[in-house]
Amino acid sequence: MKVLVVGTGAREHAIADALKDDVELYCYMSKINPGMSKIAEFKQGDEGEVEKVAEFAVDNDIDIAFIGPEAPLGKGIVDELQKNGIKCVGPTQSAARIETDKSFMRKLFEDYEIEGSLVYKVFDNSDDVSAFLDEFDRDVVVKPVGLTGGKGVKIVGDHLKDNEEAKEYSCEVIDNAMGGFAQVIIEERLIGEEFTIQAFCDGEHLAPMPAAQDHPHAFEGDVGAITGGMGSYSDVGGLLPFLSQKDYDAAVEIMQTTLKAIAEEAEPYKGILYGQFMLTADGPKLIEYNARFGDPEAMNVLPLLKTPLADVCQAVVDGTLDNVEFEDKASVCKYIVPDGYPETEYAGELIEVDEKAIEEMGAKVFYAAVSQEDDGIHLSGSRALGIVASGESIEEAEKVAEKACEFVKGNVYHRRDVGTQELVNKRVEHMKEILN
């Protein structure tokens, strides 16, 4: 079977790595990913030029295309590939609105009375924003309606001082059509602990993966700018130290109900559905959906996959998805980024990665926004690579991942606290306070 992975980052590297032993692997990437280029036939090109991706797929007799990033999904890459006879692990443009149009997602919850929703409003002018926030007596979250690479969300009490600053930022979003829409969503700020559940979907059936928790803040102690994610962890049993089986099951039920609603409102959803939840005193609440694997959360779950990913892909496109099995282990991912990220002066610099030493420790390297040139691996202004380790506990996995980070040299930084016992305990205690 010939499989094409579309995308160039660590998420796509993890997908390709999980496929490489069972398929004839091809990749279409905007930059030459040092890991993917070693294990696949590839073409360098803009993933958003969907006709060219489809042409490459047809020319190489691709059986299944696995779409990694969200932007091509929003441009209808699956529609274009399917038009050319290529089956896809990824939703159509219409179904992908679950991520690309947050107002569509919230209205879906409203119209189909799906559990786990929250108070929200969509605005397209500053006067209505001001009137709403003058009356709303709780802290809010401000979100662009469209895609912003995980960096457009701002929270009162975190990035914004108060609802007055929320007004200013909301106007900025509208005036600049941030994310491609001259609209903004204002939601109530939920109090609790965030967690992620990702699931394979075949249009009707859903196969959930182990839960994970991302760390979006740039710096240790959960401070600094919101980034695309600085690392994440998962735990044995597919749960998290603060997440019960009951709450996990409730979140999966929300996702299953959503899957049915998308099929009725748009088209059957085939691919990866990523649910970002907040565990609150009232149970799990849905913050947002992504129409693809999370980055870094894909790196937590894919190395633990026992069912061959090639088999899962076939079941997704055939509509025969059943149980998908994972190793009962914990995992920790730590992202290496340029010093100063998200603002950095080191874009373009060379880094040294001792892959052999990292692998000998039992860890894995997944390359992100770097580029393989003749003289080595160059940084960009974004995240460079993920270091992932698994173990019988989060503590065991974290120690391996942290040690492995020493084998990346250059002007780079990572959050040393991701997956540490201290930070995990902080999450557990926070949840206890909320529930008591």
Side-chain angles (χ1 to χ4, degrees):
M1 180 166 66
K2 292 185 175 183
V3 176
L4 170 66
V5 176
V6 178
T8 193
R11 165 183 50 221
E12 291 76 30
H13 187 184
I15 294 166
D17 184 71
L19 286 165
K20 70 179 189 296
D21 294 332
D22 301 308
V23 304
E24 190 174 338
L25 188 61
Y26 293 76
C27 295
Y28 199 101
M29 57 182 98
S30 59
K31 291 184 178 180
I32 299 179
N33 182 296
M36 296 165 72
S37 62
K38 286 190 287 193
I39 60 176
E41 294 289 326
F42 69 91
K43 180 176 176 62
Q44 186 177 3
D46 184 348
E47 302 131 10
E49 294 180 348
V50 298
E51 293 87 358
K52 290 185 177 180
V53 178
E55 183 180 337
F56 177 76
V58 170
D59 288 347
N60 288 281
D61 298 318
I62 296 299
D63 296 298
I64 296 174
F66 199 130
I67 316 304
E70 63 273 24
L73 291 170
K75 292 182 177 180
I77 190 170
V78 169
D79 307 69
E80 185 66 25
L81 284 161
Q82 289 183 165
K83 188 171 71 178
N84 285 275
I86 312 295
K87 296 180 178 180
C88 296
V89 178
T92 61
Q93 187 175 37
S94 175
R97 283 185 294 159
I98 198 70
E99 174 175 10
T100 60
D101 183 352
K102 293 183 179 66
S103 60
F104 168 80
M105 184 270 285
R106 284 296 171 206
K107 193 168 187 305
L108 202 69
F109 269 62
E110 203 172 274
D111 292 347
Y112 289 84
E113 299 180 345
I114 302 172
E115 295 292 325
S117 193
L118 43 77
V119 175
Y120 81 98
K121 294 285 183 183
V122 182
F123 299 97
D124 61 7
N125 67 85
S126 57
D127 290 342
D128 289 347
V129 168
S130 293
F132 174 74
L133 287 175
D134 285 343
E135 296 295 322
F136 198 69
D137 60 357
R138 283 171 280 168
D139 288 347
V140 298
V141 178
V142 181
K143 295 181 177 181
V145 168
L147 299 175
T148 56
K151 302 176 182 70
V153 177
K154 292 198 177 182
I155 304 167
V156 170
D158 195 342
H159 320 92
L160 304 169
K161 185 173 68 175
D162 51 29
N163 281 4
E164 286 300 314
E165 285 197 0
K167 289 181 188 178
E168 294 174 15
Y169 181 58
S170 297
C171 294
E172 181 185 333
V173 171
I174 294 169
D175 291 345
N176 293 293
M178 196 180 295
F181 293 81
Q183 294 176 304
V184 68
I185 293 181
I186 298 180
E187 299 174 349
E188 65 174 311
R189 181 186 181 186
L190 298 172
I191 304 300
E193 282 294 329
E194 289 189 28
F195 67 96
T196 298
I197 297 176
Q198 302 166 107
F200 296 104
C201 306
D202 70 357
E204 182 180 357
H205 309 100
L206 180 149
M209 307 181 210
Q213 187 177 47
D214 182 26
H215 298 66
H217 289 87
F219 306 120
E220 293 175 12
D222 296 326
V223 298
I226 291 288
T227 71
M230 293 295 293
S232 47
Y233 66 88
S234 67
D235 201 0
V236 294
L239 303 174
L240 294 168
F242 58 83
L243 181 68
S244 70
Q245 188 67 53
K246 178 184 176 183
D247 289 324
Y248 176 93
D249 291 344
V252 170
E253 181 59 31
I254 290 169
M255 295 174 73
Q256 183 69 67
T257 308
T258 304
L259 192 65
K260 293 178 182 176
I262 298 171
E264 291 186 33
E265 195 68 22
E267 295 180 73
Y269 187 102
K270 293 194 173 192
I272 310 299
L273 184 62
Y274 166 116
Q276 184 182 10
F277 293 91
M278 182 76 79
L279 183 58
T280 72
D282 298 318
K285 302 287 185 180
L286 194 282
I287 298 174
E288 65 183 14
Y289 280 121
N290 290 333
R292 35 71 187 183
F293 266 119
D295 185 348
E297 297 97 331
M299 293 182 275
N300 290 105
V301 297
L302 284 171
L304 301 181
L305 192 59
K306 286 174 70 176
T307 307
L309 183 56
D311 293 351
V312 179
C313 291
Q314 192 68 60
V316 165
V317 300
D318 290 346
T320 58
L321 188 65
D322 201 350
N323 291 333
V324 177
E325 294 186 353
F326 293 82
E327 290 184 53
D328 191 19
K329 289 185 176 182
S331 66
V332 172
C333 172
K334 301 200 180 201
Y335 243 122
I336 307 287
V337 303
D339 263 336
Y341 174 78
E343 302 295 330
T344 181
E345 59 185 278
Y346 300 109
E349 286 198 358
L350 278 165
I351 58 171
E352 296 178 18
V353 184
D354 191 339
E355 290 183 35
K356 184 177 179 183
I358 292 169
E359 289 168 5
E360 285 176 350
M361 290 197 63
K364 281 180 169 285
V365 179
F366 293 118
Y367 288 99
V370 294
S371 185
Q372 180 74 59
E373 308 291 347
D374 291 341
D375 59 345
I377 298 169
H378 289 255
L379 294 170
S380 71
S382 191
R383 298 175 298 172
L385 56 100
I387 302 286
V388 184
S390 61
E392 300 303 320
S393 66
I394 297 171
E395 184 177 15
E396 181 182 306
E398 187 278 328
K399 286 178 179 175
V400 175
E402 181 60 34
K403 183 70 177 174
C405 288
E406 296 176 8
F407 296 102
V408 182
K409 306 295 184 184
N411 287 308
V412 293
Y413 158 82
H414 72 278
R415 277 189 59 172
R416 296 177 180 272
D417 62 345
V418 172
T420 60
Q421 195 67 50
E422 181 181 3
L423 196 60
V424 171
N425 287 342
K426 179 182 171 183
R427 304 281 195 266
V428 172
E429 292 304 315
H430 181 225
M431 205 63 236
K432 284 180 180 177
E433 290 173 13
I434 291 169
L435 295 173
N436 286 335

